[in-house]
Amino acid sequence: MKLVIAEKPSVAMSLAAVLGANEKKDGYMEGGGYLVSWCVGHLLELAQPEAYGKRYARWGYGDLPILPEEWKYEVSKDKKKQLDLLCRLMKDKRVDSVVCATDAGREGELIFRLVYEHAGCKKPMERLWISSMEDAAIRDGFEHLRPGSDYDKLYDAAVCRAEADWLIGINATRLFSVLYGVTLNVGRVMSPTLALLVQREADIQAFTSKPFYVPEITCGGFTASGEKLSGKNEAEKIRMGCDGQVASVLSVEKQVKTVQPPRLYDLTTLQRECNRIYGYTAQQTLDYVQSLYEKKLATYPRTDSQYLTEDMQATAASLVLWLRDHMPFGKGCAGEPDIDRVTDGSKVTDHHAIIPTVEIARTDLSELPSGEQDVLTLIAARLLSATAQAHRFEAVTAVLDCRDRSFTAKGKTVLQAGWKEVERLYRMGLKQSKPEDDENTDASLPVLQEGQIFETVSASVREGKTSPPKHYTEDSLLAAMETAGTEDMPEDAERKGLGTPATRAATLEKLVSAGFVQRKKKQLIPTEKGTNLILVLPDNIKSPMLTAEWESMLKQVERGEVPAKDFMDGIADMSRALVKAHTAPEECFTGLFPDAKRNGREAVGACPRCGGTVYEDKKGFFCDNRDCAFALWKDNKFFSGKKKSITKSVA
């Protein structure tokens, strides 16, 4: 009998239904030669520092860096029952092998393996690796189970990622919190992301808007624009010189241009579109598409690929034909769907692009929650757009002369709507179609010929102001995270940018919950606390290069090119160097955090004896390190004899 362990109860139920494990037990399903149970996300997580010694319950500089020799794990009370059940099932004499059926990726591997090792299980392990929860995909996956050992290096990389994040997160958070007397959460993805927001805010604050003036002439039912000028008087001079005068066409340039269809969605591009169109946060989009995956209506969401594999072509083609017939925006399609364009197995790593499943044909979409309806409809529209014909148009640029001044008019004529027609019909179907969703298309120009003359043109001046950079939205920030630091990275870097498609949403939520960022409608604005945190952090912690280097090395661990120990030794060295380099808060940064208190005591500075943090309370100034006896008592005979007192500045 095989024991199958999924990541979530809902996934386990889908697997059990296909496998014939229909008998419900307490915490698992049984039948058809299978026991099917589940984790509840991470059942085991890295223990907090206090698990390595009581002294770590208090935050002190003298205890840093914390570098566990043997890692400990803990389970929360609400998950202990399920963990104990899985351990019991693994030891069940009826079970001769265990199938890892958690999500097919680095974190899914970690979730299962930690339980397998915690139980001390030695039974053969197999791996289910699928990208869709459709019955056919599940059956095919179980017919082609892979040896668990094929994924040992993936597990090594997952453990390295978790332990490295713990080391930098715990040590950097405690270090800067102790130095500045206020809780400052630091993380290798979170901090560089916050730095992007802070830099954008600084750019906006430093921006000075400047007026500009564009002289224009109107003739023959269209308008041509002159050069953008900074001086109003000069623009007015041109207007007066051209008003009522004759204009001639100097040149007419026509060019047929082609805009290829967009690629299919990976998770990040889907999150960006949902934020732009619907205002959903990255986390909301991930939750919706994860639910669609578990309902068998969409393929696996946590993917960074925008292509399909060759074996999916027939399924994708039949799906496209069904969507064309049954979706209102399907009427925008013409010609044979181009499935080859979205197929490239060499560009698919763990999972292919996100598309609907054929289950959509058997589902009443109106019964889905509105958020899931929106996301599924958008995914369907993208599949149709990506496989539709190219958009072709003729761009016309006409240059006119009036009183020895050049004026330019642009227009376009659509020759083949192609995939843009699908997008147009999709936007028409939105409940709240907004003007910014519509394209800024040039109007068509009348037929113009070189040497053509226009009598008595009308001249005017269009006024405007230069615009500051825009605040980040989740759409634009996700794009920035995806490309952050790429100009400084080697061209062959495996993974660029900040975080992964699976972790970016959680990073944004952490920044908001920690009080470093606030949401204002769609905008993400750094708070004063977030801005000041970036001021005090060293460059290597807030640079996107750190996480890019980590991800590159983790990929090498995954491929067996770098030993896990070498990677972790490097992280430990980095933790030591970080603590050594920051023994006291920089003078120019003191006072940045007005709430700099801990347990009613105010941080004063670094201990001259051990380098720990000295705090003020009612009786005096004391080092936070328990092993250090440094103290300055306010009731001090020397000072009282001089009729003086020890103030914070004196201390």
Side-chain angles (χ1 to χ4, degrees):
M1 183 174 272
K2 290 184 189 289
L3 169 62
V4 179
I5 299 179
E7 193 164 318
K8 293 181 180 179
S10 56
V11 175
M13 294 303 171
S14 295
L15 299 178
V18 173
L19 297 172
N22 301 319
E23 191 179 342
K24 194 170 184 180
K25 302 285 186 176
D26 186 12
Y28 66 99
M29 303 292 287
E30 185 176 336
Y34 291 93
L35 301 178
V36 182
S37 192
W38 54 85
C39 301
V40 189
H42 284 271
L43 290 180
L44 288 155
E45 299 193 80
L46 287 167
Q48 290 303 303
E50 43 270 35
Y52 299 96
K54 289 182 180 177
R55 63 183 178 142
Y56 295 128
R58 295 173 76 246
W59 295 22
Y61 180 91
D63 294 324
L64 298 175
I66 304 169
L67 302 170
E69 289 185 14
E70 286 191 21
W71 291 91
K72 296 182 179 182
Y73 289 85
E74 57 191 15
V75 58
S76 56
K77 288 181 182 177
D78 62 326
K79 294 182 178 181
K80 189 174 186 308
K81 180 184 175 185
Q82 191 63 18
L83 177 64
D84 290 344
L85 169 71
L86 291 177
C87 292
R88 202 163 63 246
L89 290 175
M90 285 185 185
K91 292 170 183 173
D92 192 314
K93 290 180 180 178
R94 296 175 298 164
V95 172
D96 46 42
S97 67
V98 184
V99 178
C100 170
T102 47
D103 282 0
R106 191 193 287 164
E107 287 309 297
E109 197 69 25
L110 183 65
I111 287 169
F112 169 81
R113 293 285 190 115
L114 290 179
V115 175
Y116 183 84
E117 293 197 352
H118 175 79
C121 187
K122 302 295 182 188
K123 293 176 180 177
M125 184 207 317
E126 296 174 289
R127 187 53 157 115
L128 175 72
W129 195 273
I130 55 176
S131 293
S132 168
M133 288 301 297
E134 293 172 280
D135 292 0
I138 292 171
R139 276 192 289 271
D140 183 65
F142 273 96
E143 286 171 9
H144 299 91
L145 290 172
R146 304 182 194 179
S149 57
D150 285 1
Y151 299 91
D152 286 349
K153 297 301 179 187
L154 179 67
Y155 171 56
D156 289 344
V159 171
C160 284
R161 196 281 310 154
E163 292 176 355
D165 275 343
W166 191 98
L167 285 179
I168 295 301
I170 292 291
N171 286 303
T173 294
R174 289 195 172 204
L175 172 64
F176 292 100
S177 297
V178 163
L179 290 180
Y180 293 95
V182 62
T183 302
L184 297 172
N185 307 81
V186 181
R188 59 137 181 150
V189 176
M190 193 166 76
S191 300
T193 302
L194 178 59
L196 288 174
L197 288 162
V198 170
Q199 183 59 54
R200 175 58 58 88
E201 195 64 24
D203 293 343
I204 292 170
Q205 296 299 329
F207 183 84
T208 304
S209 184
K210 295 177 182 176
F212 64 81
Y213 307 90
V214 181
E216 295 182 333
I217 58 171
T218 301
C219 53
F222 66 94
T223 299
S225 302
E227 188 182 345
K228 186 187 289 185
L229 303 169
S230 57
K232 186 173 184 178
N233 290 341
E234 188 182 355
E236 279 293 333
K237 200 173 182 180
I238 295 171
R239 182 193 69 78
M240 289 188 290
C242 293
D243 196 35
Q245 300 299 314
V246 174
S248 62
V249 179
L250 290 179
S251 64
V252 179
E253 183 185 342
K254 295 181 180 180
Q255 194 175 5
V256 174
K257 295 187 177 181
T258 301
V259 183
Q260 294 297 337
R263 289 204 284 260
L264 296 173
Y265 284 130
D266 59 10
L267 179 57
T268 301
T269 52
L270 177 62
Q271 287 169 319
R272 290 182 57 198
E273 288 277 89
C274 284
N275 180 251
R276 184 178 64 81
I277 296 171
Y278 298 113
Y280 295 150
T281 66
Q283 188 60 52
Q284 284 176 316
T285 300
L286 178 55
D287 291 343
Y288 292 144
V289 73
Q290 177 71 26
S291 179
L292 290 168
Y293 168 66
E294 291 171 19
K295 290 176 180 175
K296 310 184 182 189
L297 290 168
T299 57
Y300 186 73
R302 292 171 173 82
T303 177
D304 58 2
S305 175
Q306 295 181 300
Y307 291 91
L308 303 177
T309 50
E310 283 73 10
D311 61 335
M312 293 191 65
Q313 285 194 307
T315 303
S318 63
L319 188 56
V320 167
L321 294 176
W322 186 89
L323 291 172
R324 285 185 173 193
D325 289 339
H326 295 84
M327 289 291 185
F329 43 80
K331 300 184 182 97
C333 295
E336 282 294 311
D338 187 357
I339 306 297
D340 286 340
R341 199 186 161 274
V342 297
T343 306
D344 188 344
S346 68
K347 293 182 179 177
V348 177
T349 49
D350 292 341
H351 298 281
H352 56 69
I354 304 170
I355 62 170
T357 69
V358 293
E359 195 66 30
I360 194 173
R362 296 184 284 272
T363 304
D364 182 355
L365 302 189
S366 65
E367 292 182 359
L368 292 174
S370 60
E372 292 178 22
Q373 278 186 52
D374 290 342
V375 174
L376 184 57
T377 306
L378 184 59
I379 295 169
R382 177 52 68 97
L383 177 58
L384 288 186
S385 292
T387 55
Q389 294 175 326
H391 175 72
R392 288 173 58 246
F393 63 94
E394 183 182 65
V396 180
T397 303
V399 179
L400 285 78
D401 173 82
C402 182
R403 297 294 298 270
D404 295 326
R405 297 277 181 180
S406 289
F407 296 84
T408 303
K410 293 185 177 182
K412 66 185 273 188
T413 303
V414 174
L415 305 175
Q416 177 177 284
W419 64 273
K420 292 263 187 187
E421 181 63 9
V422 178
E423 278 207 346
R424 187 186 71 80
L425 292 173
Y426 168 74
R427 283 200 305 273
M428 279 178 59
L430 293 177
K431 292 167 188 170
Q432 297 175 319
S433 188
K434 297 177 182 178
E436 64 259 33
D437 291 334
D438 296 326
E439 289 180 87
N440 296 318
T441 52
D442 294 318
S444 59
L445 292 175
V447 177
L448 298 173
Q449 293 180 341
E450 210 171 294
Q452 190 173 346
I453 301 293
F454 292 96
E455 305 281 355
T456 324
V457 302
S458 172
S460 60
V461 174
R462 175 165 53 87
E463 297 185 17
K465 282 186 177 181
T466 55
S467 301
K470 290 183 178 179
H471 287 287
Y472 277 118
T473 61
E474 295 209 14
D475 167 17
S476 56
L477 183 59
L478 286 168
M481 289 175 76
E482 204 170 26
T483 58
T486 48
E487 64 277 2
D488 300 319
M489 295 178 204
E491 285 186 18
D492 59 348
E494 281 272 353
R495 192 188 291 281
K496 301 179 181 182
L498 296 173
T500 67
T503 60
R504 288 178 187 131
T507 298
L508 301 189
E509 295 305 318
K510 281 181 193 172
L511 285 170
V512 173
S513 62
F516 297 137
V517 174
Q518 59 181 328
R519 284 191 175 98
K520 286 187 178 178
K521 295 184 178 177
K522 283 188 180 183
Q523 295 177 342
L524 294 170
I525 314 288
T527 61
E528 183 181 10
K529 183 181 179 183
T531 301
N532 291 341
L533 172 59
I534 293 304
L535 280 176
V536 306
L537 287 181
D539 287 342
N540 66 327
I541 292 292
K542 61 190 179 188
S543 164
M545 286 301 294
L546 174 66
T547 188
E549 288 166 3
W550 279 26
E551 285 294 346
S552 179
M553 284 195 71
L554 287 170
K555 275 290 182 186
Q556 291 174 340
V557 171
E558 211 172 292
R559 293 193 298 260
E561 296 167 2
V562 170
K565 183 180 182 301
D566 289 2
F567 175 82
M568 291 309 302
D569 285 347
I571 302 299
D573 289 344
M574 181 182 172
S575 302
R576 292 187 192 97
L578 185 66
V579 174
K580 191 175 179 181
H582 297 83
T583 56
E586 292 185 42
E587 282 186 30
C588 58
F589 292 151
T590 53
L592 284 179
F593 303 100
D595 300 329
K597 292 184 179 180
R598 188 156 149 248
N599 299 331
R601 303 172 301 162
E602 187 170 355
V604 175
C607 173
R609 180 176 290 169
C610 74
T613 302
V614 175
Y615 287 98
E616 178 182 11
D617 67 14
K618 290 179 182 178
K619 294 186 177 182
F621 304 88
F622 309 97
C623 179
D624 192 49
N625 183 0
R626 285 184 177 181
D627 298 329
C628 177
F630 177 79
L632 288 172
W633 298 90
K634 288 181 179 177
D635 184 12
N636 183 299
K637 288 183 181 179
F638 176 81
F639 278 86
S640 59
K642 301 285 185 183
K643 295 184 179 179
K644 299 279 186 181
S645 58
I646 301 182
T647 63
K648 179 183 172 185
S649 58
V650 170

